[in-house]
Amino acid sequence: MDRIRAPAVFSQRKRQKGMRSPNLSCSYEIKFNKFVIFIMQRKMGMTRRMFLMDLARRKGFRVESELSDSVTHIVAENNSYLEVLDWLRGQAVDDSSRFELLDISWFTACMEAGRPVDSEMKYRLMEQDQSPPLNTPESEVPLFIASKVSQYSCQRKTTLDNYNKKFTDAFEVMAENYEFKENEICCLEFLRAASVLKFLPFPVTRMKDIQGLPYMGDRVRDVIEEIIEEGESSRAKEVLNDERYKSFKQFTSVFGVGVKTSEKWYRMGLRTLEDVKADKTLKLSKMQKAGFLYYEDLVSCVSKAEADAVSLIVKNTVCTFLPDALVTITGGFRRGKEIGHDIDFLITNPGPREDDELLHK
């Protein structure tokens, strides 16, 4: 069988044990000659790309560091079909048909199986034309788009541009108030409606624009209609001025405090966080004590730079126990946000299930 030389990837644990020297490279056996993979660095970053390349090589795959005529499969993460085509044009590639253009999920499936898996439709990057026909009147374009909106949030791309913020802000206030009242049905109704409107590539300016959209129930439509006509929602405004809502909003902002505890404190006559801290008869849980101790830090926003720094810490820690694990930032920062409220990670371990005790470790 052929062999290919690739740069070694070192974990802190292996360096400490002296298993590899930084000046050496390792040789990997190629088991699958017909597959030549190129992993796009765009939207992925150099460190993660190098890690994935090394992982694939250790599994017996041939991986090219540079795009060449021998490449058969191009793997992209968080890139659309059109974005990959645009990148290929920048590499002076006019004919992309000679490549299999695949999502990172195909690569992950291969790593889990320890061999190449079929490049099924679900893995392929393909052009999805959601544009209305050219002869569609401008007034009918929103209706055409609405007919293409899925009722399932996992099939709707969360965009960075929210063209309907005045509606979604009101929905989120209403949903939160229903959550504080433990009315799950109404809470979900407004949260789902907010998710749908955030997906729309145009601002809603008339009731006809929401025709055909999922989760537009009577309560939701009433709020939309009032905002269109008056510029704001009197119901949302009323909630924002409600004493109970304002108290619950403060209480639940503390780590470890939920609706039940907020209800208990409110019935005791407490209205603000200062009231809670001043009441020496309260017995706080370990989490609640930490929540108050680190309150300002926990409620402050997280920057992209902080997310990247935390990501390195998490990756290094996880790889100490599972060297082959994949650690991926998900959520807002994966979509390109510069500021967020938390950092979401997806940790997977290709191959045998060895991750059951990972978080405990």
Side-chain angles (χ1 to χ4, degrees):
M1 292 186 179
D2 295 338
R3 289 180 179 272
I4 187 169
R5 301 186 69 80
V9 173
F10 307 98
S11 69
Q12 186 176 1
R13 184 176 64 168
K14 289 182 178 178
R15 283 201 296 267
Q16 288 172 345
K17 290 186 178 181
M19 292 178 68
R20 291 180 183 172
S21 166
N23 296 320
L24 297 177
S25 62
C26 53
S27 180
Y28 298 125
E29 182 180 78
I30 297 179
K31 300 177 183 177
F32 314 108
N33 279 302
K34 294 182 180 179
F35 294 80
V36 184
I37 299 173
F38 174 78
I39 302 175
M40 279 180 59
Q41 184 171 308
R42 187 178 187 274
K43 291 189 179 182
M44 178 181 291
M46 182 174 65
T47 303
R48 175 164 166 74
R49 179 174 181 257
M50 293 297 293
F51 171 78
L52 295 180
M53 288 168 61
D54 186 75
L55 174 63
R57 285 166 175 156
R58 281 186 275 136
K59 297 281 187 179
F61 289 83
R62 179 180 170 187
V63 184
E64 293 292 313
S65 300
E66 303 291 336
L67 187 63
S68 66
D69 292 337
S70 62
V71 170
T72 59
H73 293 62
I74 295 178
V75 174
E77 182 174 44
N78 207 26
N79 284 270
S80 68
Y81 173 79
L82 293 178
E83 287 173 323
V84 173
L85 284 190
D86 186 59
W87 182 85
L88 286 173
R89 290 190 197 100
Q91 309 302 310
V93 176
D94 295 322
D95 180 18
S96 62
S97 61
R98 56 195 174 99
F99 303 117
E100 288 270 17
L101 305 182
L102 300 162
D103 181 72
I104 191 71
S105 56
W106 174 81
F107 179 90
T108 303
C110 291
M111 297 305 103
E112 290 177 346
R115 56 174 177 76
V117 299
D118 292 338
S119 51
E120 303 172 22
M121 295 292 287
K122 63 181 180 180
Y123 298 129
R124 294 179 189 173
L125 294 175
M126 295 180 292
E127 185 172 9
Q128 295 179 339
D129 186 10
Q130 297 294 329
S131 303
L134 293 177
N135 60 350
T136 303
E138 187 176 349
S139 61
E140 299 299 323
V141 169
L143 188 59
F144 177 89
I145 295 174
S147 67
K148 301 289 184 181
V149 177
S150 172
Q151 64 173 312
Y152 303 109
S153 59
C154 59
Q155 295 178 349
R156 298 193 303 265
K157 184 177 180 180
T158 303
T159 61
L160 292 178
D161 300 314
N162 180 3
Y163 294 98
N164 294 288
K165 194 172 186 302
K166 61 183 178 181
F167 299 107
T168 59
D169 283 353
F171 291 170
E172 286 165 2
V173 168
M174 299 298 295
E176 191 171 41
N177 189 48
Y178 281 121
E179 181 187 3
F180 293 159
K181 293 180 178 180
E182 298 188 84
N183 187 332
E184 184 180 355
I185 293 176
C186 291
C187 175
L188 281 174
E189 182 180 355
F190 279 101
L191 286 179
R192 286 168 171 165
S195 176
V196 169
L197 290 198
K198 285 178 181 178
F199 169 77
L200 296 182
F202 61 86
V204 171
T205 58
R206 53 186 184 158
M207 294 302 291
K208 190 175 181 180
D209 291 344
I210 64 171
Q211 186 177 334
L213 289 176
Y215 304 121
M216 297 292 125
D218 291 340
R219 274 183 288 262
V220 170
R221 294 176 69 87
D222 287 346
V223 173
I224 292 176
E225 189 169 18
E226 185 180 19
I227 293 176
I228 290 174
E229 293 176 355
E230 306 295 335
E232 62 180 1
S233 167
S234 60
R235 292 181 63 192
K237 195 173 181 179
E238 183 180 325
V239 169
L240 289 171
N241 291 320
D242 180 69
E243 183 182 58
R244 185 179 185 276
Y245 172 83
K246 288 192 286 186
S247 294
F248 274 56
K249 181 82 170 173
Q250 285 191 60
F251 296 158
T252 55
S253 69
V254 178
F255 178 71
V257 178
V259 174
K260 297 291 186 186
T261 301
S262 298
E263 182 70 43
K264 175 185 172 183
W265 290 351
Y266 190 80
R267 288 185 177 182
M268 291 172 61
L270 306 177
R271 295 294 181 266
T272 66
L273 294 183
E274 287 67 32
D275 293 342
V276 175
K277 287 186 280 189
D279 192 330
K280 303 304 179 183
T281 64
L282 287 178
K283 291 184 179 180
L284 302 178
S285 68
K286 185 178 180 181
M287 284 195 298
Q288 290 164 0
K289 288 177 181 177
F292 277 108
L293 182 61
Y294 303 109
Y295 182 77
E296 293 300 330
D297 193 23
L298 290 173
V299 297
S300 61
C301 292
V302 182
S303 68
K304 179 68 166 61
E306 288 175 309
D308 290 338
V310 171
S311 177
L312 287 176
I313 295 172
V314 173
K315 287 177 181 178
N316 289 336
T317 305
V318 168
C319 288
T320 300
F321 301 102
L322 291 174
D324 290 344
L326 304 177
V327 181
T328 307
I329 285 187
T330 62
F333 288 113
R334 180 181 174 89
R335 297 195 300 271
K337 277 189 174 181
E338 293 298 321
I339 296 291
H341 294 290
D342 60 7
I343 313 169
D344 302 304
F345 292 98
L346 181 64
I347 302 172
T348 55
N349 185 46
R353 295 285 297 179
E354 298 176 2
D355 55 354
D356 294 338
E357 298 296 321
L358 175 64
L359 295 182
H360 175 71
K361 292 175 182 177

